[in-house]
């Protein structure tokens, strides 16, 4: 089951040559562009179409975190984990309609730049450092580790570190070409991801139908999953009672029923898709109409993702429960266990799809790391910026400095070096799983630890965009409050207030320790942060001098955009009605 045929290897090599060759062609072609080297490398300014933006968003988002981590949660909990994907589609509508006009009108290129423009240098620097640590020690490490676990599970566990290094090198090669190369190679990556993903789930369902004596029938396999694991096909988990099993409690700790829709689920999605350099970077170089359509296209694709990344986990659960999948080590092995059943050739396509997801995500994060480090740290604190042209016309936002060719190349070089150092650090920390990702479960690890800064960050952004009274002092206080409150609710609230309060219900985890669901923690941390920021801002001027100018025309929608929104909302409604 762990061996690859010659056909598998041939398909994978073809995928590698296709992506690398196309990336090299795009890289050579972009040298003729008239835009600056740095803007081309960091933003691909004006050169990505709406479908390229949408594909790049999905290719960069869907990674080992989803293929392995979400598939593992599908094995453990079921379809409820699809909330992360389906609510994301709704969050992307909000981002496209209300967030992007603010970013583009104010010529925002990085998230720390937004914080400096709206608040002050202190807030910008703190968050630049926070984001760099988050990307390196949570995102890069977890994606590398989960990806290496999955692929080595197919070719042999002794190749774990070899696969880890290969993924790191491949993603670094793609990153060297800049955002334009990443954006357009992501179109191939997402095509491979979707084709390979759907092929995998089709064969997984036929395997289930065969094992239960129903022949090779994918629909029969799906019905078998629903019959054998009916508890895995409910979006809303019931709150545990005294009679609930420890397994049911553990599921609720990860996905706390309907309560999460009033707490952290929105913060997770709106912060990730709207206040995240790694994601917004793809649209920041485009015009508003292109950016909106690209983001909405990504929202539509998000509706499909649970089918690709979650159903294999449920299939693994049903097969394992009925003795057809022995030797499964844990939930993060569910996806690779299903891939082991695939026939020669398709296994190579499935590995190519998985590799495409991992490499695209790693490359996108590496480019964002290079962007933030170069534009928000290196240029500000390690290299004196050239003065802006005094004869240039006045602009609404701060004028962009003009750099000569040598300085432009130096900025790109610094960005590449930042990416190199970051991927090396990620490999070092995951060589022996020093961060303990395997113990948490990959998907939960990322969501939980990102949640320590999400409440404060999202509060800063949402108030900074839409409330003119918000001050820089409130932003600093909010950032600190959000972080402290997230830690408090995660580690100390139960000791101080007890395990049952009006704010939350804590449950005993596997270690017998009372724990509050982390999505509930995130919700309370956000609301308290908002209250602190509003209270501090009310002591300042009624209109902060750095407030953004907003007008109704910024938020007008074209008929084509409205049609895309309505289409997504109809599908989303149908999904929740079916699987509530």
């Amino acid at each position: 089951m762990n061996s690859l045929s010659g056909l598998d290897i041939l398909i994978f090599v073809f995928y590698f040559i296709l992506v690398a060759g196309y990336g090299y062609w795009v890289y050579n072609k972009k040298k003729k562009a008239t835009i600056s080297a740095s803007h081309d490398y960091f933003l691909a300014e004006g050169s990505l179409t709406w479908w390229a933006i949408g594909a790049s968003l999905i290719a960069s988002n869907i990674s080992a975190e989803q293929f392995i981590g979400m598939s593992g949660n599908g094995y453990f909990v079921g379809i409820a984990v699809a909330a992360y994907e389906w609510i994301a589609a709704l969050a992307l509508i909000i981002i496209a309609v209300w967030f992007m006009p603010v970013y583009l009108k104010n010529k925002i290129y990085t998230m720390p730049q937004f914080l400096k423009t709206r608040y002050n240098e202190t807030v910008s620097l703190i968050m630049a450092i926070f984001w760099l640590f988050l990307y390196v020690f949570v995102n890069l490490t977890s994606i590398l580790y989960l990806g290496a676990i999955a692929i080595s599970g197919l070719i042999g566990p002794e190749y774990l570190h070899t696969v880890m290094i290969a993924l790191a090198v491949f993603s670094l090669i793609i990153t060297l070409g800049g955002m334009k190369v990443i954006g357009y190679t992501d179109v191939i990556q997402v095509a491979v991801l979707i084709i390979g993903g759907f092929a995998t789930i089709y064969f997984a369902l036929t395997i289930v139908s065969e094992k239960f004596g129903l022949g090779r029938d994918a629909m029969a396999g799906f019905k078998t999953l629903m019959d054998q694991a009916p508890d895995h096909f409910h979006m809303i988990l019931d709150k545990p009672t005294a009679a609930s099993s420890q397994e049911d409690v553990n599921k609720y700790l990860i996905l706390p029923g309907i309560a999460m829709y009033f707490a952290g689920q929105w913060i997770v999605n709106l912060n990730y898709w709207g206040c995240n350099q790694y994601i917004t970077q793809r649209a920041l170089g485009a015009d508003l109409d292109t950016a909106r359509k690209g983001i909405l296209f990504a929202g539509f694709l998000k509706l499909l993702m649970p089918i690709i990344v979650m159903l294999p986990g449920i299939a693994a659960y049903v097969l394992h429960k009925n003795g057809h999948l022995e030797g499964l080590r844990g939930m993060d092995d569910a996806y690779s266990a299903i891939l082991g059943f695939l026939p020669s050739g398709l296994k190579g396509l499935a590995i190519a799809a998985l590799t495409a997801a991992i490499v695209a995500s790693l490359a996108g994060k590496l480019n964002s790391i290079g962007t933030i480090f170069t534009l928000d740290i290196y240029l500000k604190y390690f290299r004196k910026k050239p003065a802006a042209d005094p004869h240039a016309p006045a602009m609404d936002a701060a004028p962009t400095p003009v750099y000569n060719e040598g300085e432009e190349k130096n900025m790109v070089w610094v960005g590449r070096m930042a990416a190199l150092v970051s991927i090396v650090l990620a490999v070092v920390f995951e060589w022996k799983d020093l961060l303990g990702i395997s113990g948490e479960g990959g998907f939960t690890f990322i969501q939980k630890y990102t949640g320590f800064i999400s409440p404060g960050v999202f509060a800063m952004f949402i108030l900074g965009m839409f409330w003119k009274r918000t001050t820089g002092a409130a932003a600093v206080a909010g950032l600190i409050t959000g972080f402290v409150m997230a830690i408090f609710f995660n580690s100390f609230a139960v000791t101080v207030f007890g395990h049952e309060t009006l704010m939350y219900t804590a449950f005993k985890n596997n270690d017998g320790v009372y724990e509050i669901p982390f999505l509930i923690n995130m919700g309370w941390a956000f609301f308290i942060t908002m209250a602190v920021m509003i209270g501090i801002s009310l002591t300042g001027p009624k209109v902060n001098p750095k407030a953004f100018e907003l007008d109704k025309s910024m938020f007008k929608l074209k008929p084509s955009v409205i049609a895309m929104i309505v289409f997504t909302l109809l599908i989303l409604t149908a999904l929740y009605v079916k699987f509530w």
Side-chain angles (χ1 to χ4, degrees), residues 479-497:
L479 179 60
I480 296 171
T481 301
F483 185 65
V484 170
M485 285 295 100
I487 294 175
F488 173 77
F489 279 104
N490 186 71
S491 304
F492 303 106
V494 173
T495 303
V496 176
F497 298 127

Side-chain angles (χ1 to χ4, degrees), residues 28 38 43 51 83 100 119 129 143 170 172 174 177 203 267 337 346 375 430 436-437 448 453 492-494 499:
N28 281 329
S38 63
L43 293 171
W51 46 267
M100 288 314 297
Y119 295 120
I129 295 171
I143 292 170
F170 191 8
L172 190 62
I174 298 296
F203 275 88
I267 300 165
L346 184 58
L375 302 185
E430 278 317 301
I437 294 173
K448 184 175 182 178
I453 68 167
F492 303 106
V494 173
H499 66 271

Side-chain angles (χ1 to χ4, degrees), residues 49-62 66-67 70 82 84-90 92-93 183 186-195 197-198 273 282 292-310 564-565 567-569 571-572 575:
T49 59
W50 65 266
W51 46 267
I53 290 172
S56 186
L57 284 169
I58 294 302
S60 298
N61 165 245
I62 302 298
Q66 278 78 17
F67 267 101
M70 186 172 282
Y84 281 99
E85 303 300 298
W86 290 342
I87 294 301
L90 196 52
L92 282 164
I93 293 174
D186 277 353
V187 175
I188 297 177
Q189 308 268 44
V190 82
V192 173
L193 185 159
I194 291 174
I195 293 170
F198 271 108
W273 292 101
R282 277 137 184 80
R292 274 179 167 161
K293 288 180 178 177
I295 291 170
L296 293 173
F297 178 51
F300 170 73
L301 293 177
K302 287 296 283 182
L303 299 176
L304 304 176
M305 290 304 111
I307 301 172
I308 296 174
V309 300
M310 180 197 61
M564 294 176 76
I565 291 172
F567 184 65
T568 299
L569 290 176
I571 296 176
L572 188 60
L575 288 169

